[in-house]
Amino acid sequence: MNSSDSPSRVLKAFGVNGLKNTVPVDSSSSTDNNGIATFDKGFPPITMQPKSAGGIPPSGQDMNGVLYAVTLQQQWQNAGMTYAFNQDFANQISGYPKGSMLPNSTSSGVWMSLSDNNLTSPEPVASASWVPFNSYGYTNLSGITSSTITLTAMQASKDRITLSGALTSNINLVLPSWLKSWTIVNNCTGIFGVICKTQSGTGVTIANGSTAKVYGDGTNILTEFGSAAYRDVGNGSGQVPDMSFFESGPGWQKLPSGRIFQWGAFPVSGNSVQTFSFPITFPNVALSITASFKIPASGTANADVISRSQFSLQNTYSTLQNCSFFAIGE
């Protein structure tokens, strides 16, 4: 069969504007004797006997009613629709089979059955026998303060959960024991955090003002990535600097904190003090500077900061020496 072999859709249920009977579900002695068709037995035996033997012809209205009921459902399915969970129907068929797909109560997603003979409703309480196959939208929970929050099945079915409120204590956000991942956006304020866990398993704490990717392994809640994955790029507290914060050039290196190191060497005449410029001007202050001879000599090499842009080197040895310096500033 090819995809191009798709049959025509049912545009109208059979007999929608014709004469038809509403076909009963179950039969009784009266329906059997009167030749009435039912879904339980179909057309009764009396409609299959010759008139000469007391038979009754099948009713055309019954036939229209049967075909109408069947094609009306076919039309519904052609429109891409299925049926939501129904407890009476579940009891009638001894439970939904494993793998069955049912729309959720808001028609924004689909539940999938994980077990045969499934009599449990997927909503409102999250069930281990139903899991979200897909679910459109976000879950937003506001006004959170100090109480444990157990998500409903519909709330937990969303991939992204946003929290807000002024926490007065650590709170538990109880997720179902599903094999599923969530993005938790913790927009709460205060010094406390949100602990994402299952009812009986362990969990992870998400600090206020942060976003984390978590997942359930069927028992516990774990983090998808380490904490560094959720930090912003920058050089502030709790941020992760990228290489743009490690500036450098000939004779200098700047760290993300703003601390600057500078180094180099200059020839200094014997028994003299000379002034030189730093490779770059310190933006705020030159904190310290040290000096030494590149080649050991019996004299000493001294250095002093003159300004953010200049320093002096002293050579106490009798002949010209290359004096190295190392400076720290901001």
Side-chain angles (χ1 to χ4, degrees), residues 137-140 151 155-163 173 175 180-186 196 206 210-216 221-222 224-225 230:
Y138 300 152
T139 291
N140 295 300
L151 295 182
Q155 289 172 331
S157 71
K158 309 302 181 183
D159 292 337
R160 189 176 185 89
I161 300 172
T162 301
L163 314 172
L173 181 69
L175 298 163
K180 175 176 169 55
S181 62
W182 295 269
T183 298
I184 309 296
V185 182
N186 183 0
C196 296
I206 302 175
S210 64
T211 298
K213 187 82 168 179
V214 303
Y215 68 95
I221 301 298
L222 304 97
E224 194 79 62
F225 308 107
Y230 307 105

Side-chain angles (χ1 to χ4, degrees), residues 99-123:
S100 59
M101 302 281 195
L102 307 182
N104 63 28
S105 57
T106 62
S107 298
S108 61
V110 173
W111 298 111
M112 182 175 71
S113 175
L114 295 183
S115 61
D116 286 323
N117 306 312
N118 191 349
L119 293 167
T120 304
S121 174
E123 299 178 45

Side-chain angles (χ1 to χ4, degrees), residues 37-298:
T38 63
F39 279 99
D40 180 31
K41 290 185 177 179
F43 287 93
I46 197 171
T47 65
M48 303 174 192
Q49 297 175 2
K51 284 186 177 181
S52 59
I56 302 174
S59 167
Q61 293 186 28
D62 278 353
M63 178 62 72
N64 280 354
V66 171
L67 292 176
Y68 173 75
V70 172
T71 55
L72 187 63
Q73 290 194 2
Q74 187 176 357
Q75 184 187 50
W76 180 253
Q77 293 167 351
N78 285 170
M81 296 300 292
T82 57
Y83 293 87
F85 179 87
N86 182 278
Q87 192 66 64
D88 291 338
F89 178 76
N91 294 339
Q92 183 70 31
I93 64 170
S94 299
Y96 289 90
K98 182 178 181 180
S100 59
M101 302 281 195
L102 307 182
N104 63 28
S105 57
T106 62
S107 298
S108 61
V110 173
W111 298 111
M112 182 175 71
S113 175
L114 295 183
S115 61
D116 286 323
N117 306 312
N118 191 349
L119 293 167
T120 304
S121 174
E123 299 178 45
V125 179
S127 167
S129 59
W130 292 97
V131 293
F133 184 77
N134 57 55
S135 188
Y136 178 79
Y138 300 152
T139 291
N140 295 300
L141 302 174
S142 60
I144 299 171
T145 55
S146 61
S147 301
T148 291
I149 299 171
T150 300
L151 295 182
T152 65
M154 280 294 293
Q155 289 172 331
S157 71
K158 309 302 181 183
D159 292 337
R160 189 176 185 89
I161 300 172
T162 301
L163 314 172
S164 62
L167 298 187
T168 58
S169 66
N170 289 330
I171 67 163
N172 292 325
L173 181 69
V174 181
L175 298 163
S177 299
W178 291 338
L179 299 176
K180 175 176 169 55
S181 62
W182 295 269
T183 298
I184 309 296
V185 182
N186 183 0
N187 290 331
C188 295
T189 60
I191 61 173
F192 303 99
V194 174
I195 304 169
C196 296
K197 63 184 296 292
T198 59
Q199 190 67 51
S200 57
T202 60
V204 294
T205 300
I206 302 175
N208 292 343
S210 64
T211 298
K213 187 82 168 179
V214 303
Y215 68 95
D217 64 359
T219 303
N220 305 310
I221 301 298
L222 304 97
T223 53
E224 194 79 62
F225 308 107
S227 61
Y230 307 105
R231 298 180 184 270
D232 292 331
V233 173
N235 62 348
S237 176
Q239 295 180 320
V240 178
D242 62 22
M243 292 308 297
S244 66
F245 290 95
F246 293 89
E247 300 178 64
S248 63
W252 64 276
Q253 171 75 58
K254 183 178 180 180
L255 299 182
S257 64
R259 184 61 53 86
I260 299 173
F261 303 121
Q262 301 200 55
W263 60 90
F266 292 95
V268 181
S269 301
N271 295 317
S272 68
V273 178
Q274 294 178 239
T275 299
F276 302 94
S277 295
F278 289 115
I280 62 171
T281 298
F282 287 106
N284 299 306
V285 63
L287 297 172
S288 66
I289 187 170
T290 59
S292 62
F293 290 129
K294 292 192 70 174
I295 300 175
S298 58

